């Protein structure tokens, strides 16, 4: 069957009236009626029961109409793919972002990207680095925003910004009297870290000398997310190390917690975009990076 014939079938199945279906298809009623009779004759089946008052689908007609809808949807998708080939900024971008970046980057990124590429909506996925990397390799995602280095066969990456870490503490904690905190000072505190498997936990452990020693992080309490850690710190459980974008995004006045920078050289992470080397829309990656730099998370240092 041709796509035109499939459109006739689908429209008549929806309208149950030859006149209305013909009008929606922009053809005359005789043209639509003759075309459908030819289809029925060609395949030796009856698709529609015709009476003076109504048109009804036969059981076979119902199955064919449902399949015709799916075929037409896929045919429309082919048009979208072809259009994206002409303009890489048309069509959805499937983007993955790690948990410790997404809440502080996306509220800024979405409007900035829309301003640069209004016809490129984002399908967003939050997850751990290892899971996002797997989805990227499979082709389920077009690009991911992660902490670098991120090295995988067939994957390329580009840095976007550096983000320092800072210490968050209850409002009246003794360390609040200090202007900056040495990294080795936090080992003697009740420390809150993200759970095992989160790459930011590993980065904090590596950045703070005593934590990276064997068993150095064994006594640390754990939170499932930075937002959970934030509330635990505010309640007075202990202190934590978080990305500066998180600390600057949280309310300070009256929130029962505050943050302090580390002494220099402060520990930091480098954040970048990773994508498949074979991804056919590299211009979309360029625009994504430019949009991040248009409205970066608070406290980060852009990489030109």
């Amino acid at each position: 069957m041709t796509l035109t014939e499939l459109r006739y079938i689908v429209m008549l199945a929806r309208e149950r009236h030859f006149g209305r279906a013909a009008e929606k298809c922009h053809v005359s009623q005789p043209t639509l009626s003759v075309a459908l009779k030819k289809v029925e004759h060609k395949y030796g089946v009856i698709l529609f029961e015709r009476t003076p008052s109504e048109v009804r689908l036969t059981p076979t007609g119902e199955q064919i109409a449902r399949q015709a809808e799916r075929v037409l949807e896929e045919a429309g998708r082919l048009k979208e793919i072809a259009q994206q080939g002409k303009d890489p900024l048309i069509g959805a971008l499937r983007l993955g972002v790690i948990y410790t970046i997404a809440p502080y980057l996306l509220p800024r990124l979405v409007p900035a990207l829309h301003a640069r590429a209004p016809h490129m909506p984002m399908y967003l996925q939050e997850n751990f680095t290892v899971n996002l990397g797997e989805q990227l390799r499979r082709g389920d995602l077009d690009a991911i925003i992660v902490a670098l280095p991120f090295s995988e066969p067939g994957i390329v990456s580009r840095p976007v910004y550096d983000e320092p870490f800072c210490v968050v503490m209850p409002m009246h904690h003794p360390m609040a009297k200090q202007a900056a905190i040495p990294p080795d000072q936090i080992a003697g505190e009740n420390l809150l870290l993200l759970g095992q498997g989160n790459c930011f936990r590993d980065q904090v452990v590596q950045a703070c000398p005593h934590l990276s020693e064997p068993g150095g992080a064994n006594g640390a309490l754990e939170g499932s997310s930075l937002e959970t850690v934030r509330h635990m710190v505010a309640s007075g459980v202990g202190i934590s190390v978080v990305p500066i974008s998180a600390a600057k995004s949280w309310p300070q006045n009256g929130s029962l917690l505050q943050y302090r920078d580390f002494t220099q050289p402060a520990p930091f992470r480098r954040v970048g975009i990773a994508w498949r080397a074979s991804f056919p829309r590299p211009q979309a990656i360029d625009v994504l990076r430019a949009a991040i730099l248009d409205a970066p998370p608070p406290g980060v240092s852009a990489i030109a």
Side-chain angles (χ1 to χ4, degrees):
M1 299 182 196
T2 66
L3 291 179
T4 298
E5 291 168 339
L6 294 180
R7 291 190 187 95
Y8 291 168
I9 292 171
V10 168
M11 194 56 65
L12 185 56
R14 291 176 184 171
E15 297 295 330
R16 307 296 177 101
H17 187 277
F18 275 96
R20 291 195 300 270
E23 184 178 353
K24 292 288 181 65
C25 291
H26 306 290
V27 296
S28 67
Q29 182 174 329
T31 297
L32 184 133
S33 180
V34 169
L36 291 178
K37 284 183 179 179
K38 285 183 178 179
V39 170
E40 290 176 326
H41 182 265
K42 179 178 179 180
Y43 291 96
V45 294
I46 301 299
L47 303 179
F48 297 94
E49 294 181 26
R50 300 161 174 86
T51 69
S53 58
E54 65 176 345
V55 176
R56 286 184 293 184
L57 285 161
T58 64
T60 299
E62 288 181 354
Q63 295 180 54
I64 289 178
R66 285 196 297 270
Q67 185 63 33
E69 284 190 353
R70 290 193 285 269
V71 171
L72 291 174
E73 287 174 3
E74 291 302 317
R77 177 64 183 143
L78 288 175
K79 280 187 176 182
E80 292 178 11
I81 293 172
Q83 186 61 44
Q84 290 171 11
K86 295 179 182 178
D87 187 344
L89 302 185
I90 291 180
L93 182 71
R94 298 169 298 172
L95 179 67
V97 190
I98 59 175
Y99 289 120
T100 57
I101 292 177
Y104 318 109
L105 171 65
L106 293 179
R108 296 165 176 264
L109 172 59
V110 170
L113 184 64
H114 184 74
R116 283 183 172 266
H119 302 295
M120 189 173 73
M122 286 188 292
Y123 295 161
L124 298 169
Q125 164 84 230
E126 282 186 78
N127 216 315
F128 296 113
T129 299
V130 62
N131 296 331
L132 293 178
E134 183 178 344
Q135 293 179 67
L136 181 64
R137 290 190 300 273
R138 288 200 309 257
D140 296 335
L141 292 173
D142 300 321
I144 59 176
I145 298 175
V146 294
L148 301 179
F150 182 82
S151 180
E152 294 281 351
I155 303 297
V156 294
S157 62
R158 187 178 177 190
V160 182
Y161 60 81
D162 288 337
E163 177 168 31
F165 303 161
C166 66
V167 183
V168 289
M169 63 197 74
M171 183 64 71
H172 301 295
H173 192 279
M175 284 199 301
K177 298 176 182 178
Q178 300 175 226
I181 311 298
D184 58 1
Q185 185 177 344
I186 68 169
E189 301 289 334
N190 289 331
L191 184 63
L192 287 158
L193 293 175
L194 292 175
Q196 297 285 348
N198 195 299
C199 65
F200 185 73
R201 174 197 174 99
D202 300 334
Q203 293 160 12
V204 170
V205 169
Q206 292 168 10
C208 300
H210 293 299
L211 295 180
S212 58
E213 296 174 356
N218 285 351
L221 302 172
E222 293 186 355
S224 59
S225 70
L226 288 179
E227 293 300 312
T228 300
V229 166
R230 163 195 170 190
H231 294 298
M232 292 174 71
V233 170
S235 74
V237 171
I239 69 169
S240 187
V241 178
V242 302
I244 192 67
S245 62
K248 284 184 172 289
S249 297
W250 296 336
Q252 301 297 311
N253 296 330
S255 66
L256 302 180
L257 87 167
Q258 53 187 314
Y259 74 90
R260 291 291 182 270
D261 295 330
F262 277 106
T263 55
Q264 295 299 322
F268 72 96
R269 65 179 174 183
R270 177 155 289 182
V271 174
I273 305 170
W275 66 97
R276 294 182 305 282
S278 59
F279 183 53
R281 300 165 63 197
Q283 299 92 333
I285 303 298
D286 293 339
V287 169
L288 173 64
R289 186 177 186 276
I292 296 173
L293 296 178
D294 284 344
V300 308
S301 299
I303 299 174

